[in-house]
Structures are given as structure tokens and as C-alpha cells.
Amino acid sequence: MTSRVGLGFDAHRFEPGRPLVLCGVVVEYEFGLRGHSDADVATHAVMDAILGAAHLGDIGELFPDDDPRYAGATSVDLLRQVVALAAAAGWGVGNVDVVLVLQDPRLAPYREEMVASLAAALGVGPDAVGVKATTTEMMGFTGRGEGVAALAVCLLVRDEAEDGG
Ligand code: MG
């Protein structure tokens, strides 16, 4: 078995009048995130982690934010496309781990739903998905409540026999 690790990072600014979508789950809050798509910052970080591990570029190339096809896009649907691209290149998802960085709201009540949502899009079991949240103790843009940041790592795996030597 050959494996590759990938890293993704993203940040979006809070904006009133939009739903807050994280890992494909709508979170009850007074603000959503600004973005061309649903601005699901966590799912964006996961997509970039997969694309990085598979050497397939990044989401800015694949889903340009000036392309009207992706206006209001559901990011977990784009994640499914990324998983399919990686699969076409011979890679399967081993596991994914995500850290959301935000001061508010608390995400613990949504964690299981977020894990299930990502696992379904990734085509893996829930035991292969980690979703965690942390604050920055009021420091920086997340600490001031200006937005949400997310980091993700992904392990991709493939059989040696498919590796082409
Ligand atoms: Mg983004």
C-alpha cells in the first residue's frame, strides 16, 4: 500500500443574512460565512487536503469563484467531485481530520452530524473522519469573531500494484 498525506487550510468572513454551513451541516447562528459557494470553510479545507495529496491542484483551479456554475454551490457536493477525481487517479481516502477555529458558536452539539456528513461525501466510515473545534482564546480574527478558519489533513491510499512502479 502506498499512501500520501495532504494539508488544506481556508478562512471565510462572517456575514449577516446567510446560513452558517460547516461540514455540510447548517449551524444555528446569527451570521453565516461570505463566499461564492455556501462558504463551507471546513469542507473547502478537506477538498484542498485531498487535492494536495493526490497532486491534482487546488479548489481555486477546479471551482473558480468567478464561475457562475459554482454560485451558491453546496460544498459537500463539490467534495464528492474531488473524491471522484482522486479515485480516477487511483487514490482512495484513508482518513480525514479537521480542525475548525472559531470563537463562537459552540459546535459540540453538531459534531456527530458533521462527521456523518463528511463521511458520506468521502465514501468512508465515520471512524475515518475527525472533526474538532477550538478557539484562539479571543486572539486574532477568529478570536474577534470576524470569521472562521479551518485546517484539514487527509491520508490517501492506493494499492502498490496500481502505482505504476
Ligand atoms: Mg473557501
Side-chain angles (χ1 to χ4, degrees):
M1 196 75 101
T2 303
S3 57
R4 295 269 175 82
V5 68
L7 170 69
F9 172 81
D10 197 17
H12 282 257
R13 183 182 292 274
F14 279 128
E15 183 172 272
R18 285 174 59 92
L20 177 58
V21 182
L22 298 171
C23 304
V25 175
V26 177
V27 172
E28 200 75 39
Y29 195 50
E30 59 187 311
F31 303 113
L33 294 172
R34 180 189 300 176
H36 186 62
S37 66
D38 61 6
D40 184 342
V41 63
T43 301
H44 292 180
V46 171
M47 287 194 281
D48 261 348
I50 294 169
L51 291 168
H55 192 68
L56 289 170
D58 62 45
I59 56 172
E61 280 173 50
L62 279 176
F63 310 112
D65 63 9
D66 57 359
D67 188 328
R69 280 180 300 170
Y70 305 118
T74 298
S75 295
V76 286
D77 291 341
L78 303 182
L79 173 58
R80 288 176 191 274
Q81 293 183 41
V82 164
V83 170
L85 278 174
W91 294 105
V93 175
N95 77 301
V96 164
D97 194 17
V98 183
V99 180
L100 279 146
V101 185
L102 73 173
Q103 198 64 40
D104 278 312
R106 283 195 72 244
L107 299 181
Y110 299 94
R111 187 209 295 250
E112 289 312 309
E113 198 183 342
M114 289 175 170
V115 166
S117 165
L118 287 182
L122 292 163
V124 299
D127 62 323
V129 179
V131 175
K132 305 179 297 303
T134 187
T135 73
T136 50
E137 298 194 331
M138 318 288 276
M139 297 180 290
F141 70 91
T142 60
R144 290 188 296 270
E146 294 170 10
V148 181
L151 300 106
V153 290
C154 173
L155 190 75
L156 295 183
V157 294
R158 73 194 299 172
D159 289 332
E160 296 276 6
E162 296 171 28
D163 208 20

